Amino acid sequence: MFNLGSMLNLGSTDPVIGRANTIVTCSAAELFRFLGEGLFDNYPKWSPEVKELQQLTPGPVRLGTEGRQVRVDQGRRSESKFKISAFEPGQRITLVGVSDPFRCTYELQEINPAQSTKLTFSFELLEILAIMRPFEGLVRVAIKDGAERTVQNIKRLVEAEKS
């Protein structure tokens, strides 16, 4: 078979992935409370691009909880719905796009119990619109930079809250 996208120089159809990590001075349980249980209160704090955030399913945040967000990224407004596809207290929370092809995961690894936790954040754009493929390199850089900003913002917020 042949790849028409490659023949027409439309760019790759591979996912675009940005990943970053940092060490946060707190326990994995504390960090998970901030990221997972406090998702709808705290997400706009660590991701200032989020202008509106709404929990669509009632009750505490858990596996299957759905939400809606409005973001403004580099001047571009977008609205999407997402669902929590992994919710493992103290270890991992994953959000997947319901209306858009993305996945973001926050993984926690306790380094020193009750004192420090490695946070690894990854954002995966699972599909790029054909019209955006010529700009794939710029998209990759923006996603990588966004991942770095995300972990640094979370670290700063959690450590400031703790002190």
Side-chain angles (χ1 to χ4, degrees), residues 45-60:
K45 294 176 187 174
W46 78 72
S47 186
E49 300 84 5
V50 175
K51 302 305 180 191
E52 293 177 36
L53 184 63
Q54 176 185 18
Q55 184 172 338
L56 300 176
T57 52

Side-chain angles (χ1 to χ4, degrees), residues 9-151:
N9 195 26
L10 294 177
S12 167
T13 57
D14 294 336
V16 178
I17 301 170
R19 183 172 285 116
N21 61 66
T22 192
I23 304 297
V24 182
T25 306
C26 73
S27 70
E30 288 174 288
L31 187 52
F32 190 83
R33 274 192 296 278
F34 183 82
L35 295 170
E37 296 162 17
L39 177 70
F40 289 93
D41 292 325
N42 297 324
Y43 182 31
K45 294 176 187 174
W46 78 72
S47 186
E49 300 84 5
V50 175
K51 302 305 180 191
E52 293 177 36
L53 184 63
Q54 176 185 18
Q55 184 172 338
L56 300 176
T57 52
V61 178
R62 64 187 179 281
L63 184 66
T65 295
E66 293 187 9
R68 175 188 153 280
Q69 67 177 335
V70 174
R71 299 177 57 93
V72 177
D73 292 284
Q74 298 179 353
R76 184 177 166 270
R77 182 186 186 280
S78 62
E79 181 176 333
S80 63
K81 289 185 180 174
F82 61 87
K83 183 176 192 171
I84 296 177
S85 67
F87 192 82
E88 302 165 33
Q91 296 177 32
R92 172 183 300 111
I93 183 169
T94 299
L95 313 175
V96 294
V98 171
S99 59
D100 290 314
F102 71 86
R103 175 175 41 234
C104 60
T105 301
Y106 303 84
E107 292 182 280
L108 314 178
Q109 178 186 4
E110 202 153 60
I111 303 296
N112 187 350
Q115 292 183 0
S116 59
T117 302
K118 180 179 180 182
L119 167 64
T120 302
F121 170 73
S122 62
F123 178 85
E124 300 171 69
L125 184 58
L126 303 172
E127 182 182 309
I128 298 179
L129 296 172
I131 195 166
M132 293 301 293
R133 288 194 190 132
F135 307 104
E136 183 177 340
L138 294 173
V139 171
R140 286 185 186 280
V141 168
I143 287 175
K144 176 64 178 156
D145 289 349
E148 291 288 346
R149 266 192 320 279
T150 295
V151 297

